[in-house]
Amino acid sequence: TFQHYFKRINLRKKLDLTMSLGWVKDVLLDKTTLSAIVFGAALGGGIAYSMREKRRGGASQNSKWDKKPLQDYCIKHSNIVEPEPLVLLRQTTAKHERAIMESTYDVGQLLVLLMRMNKSRNVLEVGTFTGVALLKMALELPEDGKAYALDVSEDYCNVGKPFMKMAGVDNKVEYLIGPATESLAQLSGRGLNGTIDMVFIDADKGNYPNYLEACLALLSPGGVIVFDNSTFNGKVCLPKLEEPFNHIDATNKRAMTLPGATTILLDIGDGCLVIRKDK
């Protein structure tokens, strides 16, 4: 009867009780003991499976996989070229108390790639900070190109200004200091609707839905908007979304339903939502 139970659950191959465990012959196994053994075998198999999945990269729902090695690999295998002014700005920003807000290398390269694809002439950044991404984009502009840099802190922008001048692009950059919603309305009032070819948004997440609507009006046909932190370290996947993750999630969902637009949410940096205005 004991062997019959194990044959039914397909564990006989794993537990040859009649040969390798002589003491089993002398033990009367009741249903409780049998259940405990079966549960232990199943639990052990589950743990082994989870460990295997973790080593393989984390297909298991419960495994926590560190994606940084893969992210580093992707950056290393991208032909990212940054001139000295940009390198120096990154080094300076790294010493800032809020250095975590600096744009990563892969996000910067994504901006360059998209700008080259649509031949951007006018660009806009919402949330400039020290200007790493701003300088990255300004370097891609033609001679008559323009970059609009929006931030609430003039101190942040002042960190990057010497490097803009060093790179020879300071004449292409216009700073607008103040709440971004007001600065965007100001640009619209100046008749810039439909003239911006690239928008990079990396500002207060609670206003992401508002920035989306305002920037869509400014965007040219074929223009692109890129939101940073659009997955926020996976926080958008939490069962209950708190501030500001609910606003990020709302923006991601809104982008999916935009008429006349093509969108994709990429696992680059801390998540990049890319929106192309098709017409």
Side-chain angles (χ1 to χ4, degrees):
T1 302
F2 176 67
Q3 291 182 348
H4 175 67
Y5 275 113
F6 278 90
K7 185 176 181 180
R8 287 176 59 189
I9 60 174
N10 200 27
L11 289 176
R12 187 175 180 183
K13 292 182 181 180
K14 295 183 178 179
L15 299 175
D16 190 353
L17 299 172
T18 58
M19 295 183 180
S20 61
L21 298 176
W23 57 271
V24 174
K25 296 179 182 179
D26 302 321
V27 177
L28 179 60
L29 293 174
D30 57 20
K31 291 182 180 179
T32 302
T33 307
L34 179 59
S35 298
I37 292 177
V38 172
F39 175 75
L43 180 62
I47 293 173
Y49 174 79
S50 295
M51 291 177 68
R52 285 198 306 271
E53 292 301 326
K54 187 173 183 179
R55 288 195 299 268
R56 288 165 53 187
S60 172
Q61 256 188 340
N62 296 323
S63 64
K64 293 183 178 180
W65 178 55
D66 180 12
K67 74 169 187 177
K68 191 176 186 307
L70 178 58
Q71 186 179 32
D72 291 343
Y73 176 89
C74 292
I75 292 173
K76 183 179 178 181
H77 291 79
S78 301
N79 62 338
I80 299 173
V81 178
E82 298 195 335
E84 184 179 7
L86 186 51
V87 172
L88 294 175
L89 177 55
R90 282 195 184 276
Q91 292 174 354
T92 301
T93 304
K95 300 172 185 176
H96 196 280
E97 61 181 357
R98 295 196 174 183
I100 194 172
M101 297 197 302
E102 176 189 343
S103 299
T104 56
Y105 290 92
D106 47 355
V107 172
Q109 186 73 348
L110 174 64
L111 298 176
V112 169
L113 179 65
L114 293 171
M115 286 184 65
R116 292 181 181 180
M117 290 176 69
N118 77 349
K119 297 179 173 57
S120 295
R121 182 177 299 277
N122 298 307
V123 301
L124 165 66
E125 182 175 31
V126 182
T128 296
F129 188 40
T130 62
V132 169
L134 174 66
L135 180 52
K136 190 88 175 178
M137 292 190 291
L139 288 166
E140 293 295 317
L141 293 174
E143 287 300 319
D144 59 345
K146 190 76 175 181
Y148 300 94
L150 281 57
D151 205 284
V152 293
S153 172
E154 190 167 7
D155 290 338
Y156 289 165
C157 296
N158 287 340
V159 173
K161 286 180 180 179
F163 301 97
M164 303 293 164
K165 187 173 183 179
M166 185 186 303
V169 296
D170 55 312
N171 61 317
K172 299 178 182 180
V173 178
E174 178 181 341
Y175 293 91
L176 289 88
I177 306 300
T181 50
E182 296 178 10
S183 297
L184 291 170
Q186 180 184 339
L187 291 175
S188 179
R190 288 164 52 181
L192 293 180
N193 282 359
T195 67
I196 306 297
D197 305 306
M198 167 66 67
V199 180
F200 180 51
I201 303 174
D202 185 12
D204 53 312
K205 315 310 171 191
N207 265 316
Y208 266 26
N210 297 325
Y211 296 151
L212 173 58
E213 300 304 327
C215 290
L216 279 172
L218 290 166
L219 204 62
S220 63
V224 178
I225 299 174
V226 177
F227 280 89
D228 201 5
N229 305 118
S230 291
T231 56
F232 215 103
N233 198 29
K235 295 294 193 303
V236 291
C237 296
L238 293 175
K240 184 179 180 181
L241 295 177
E242 300 178 351
E243 297 276 350
F245 315 123
N246 55 330
H247 299 294
I248 297 172
D249 179 64
T251 303
N252 294 340
K253 286 182 168 62
R254 168 63 176 146
M256 293 173 60
T257 64
L258 288 174
T262 303
T263 71
I264 186 169
L265 182 55
L266 299 173
D267 188 19
I268 293 178
D270 194 22
C272 283
L273 172 63
V274 182
I275 304 168
R276 181 185 186 272
K277 188 175 183 179
D278 297 331
K279 55 183 179 180

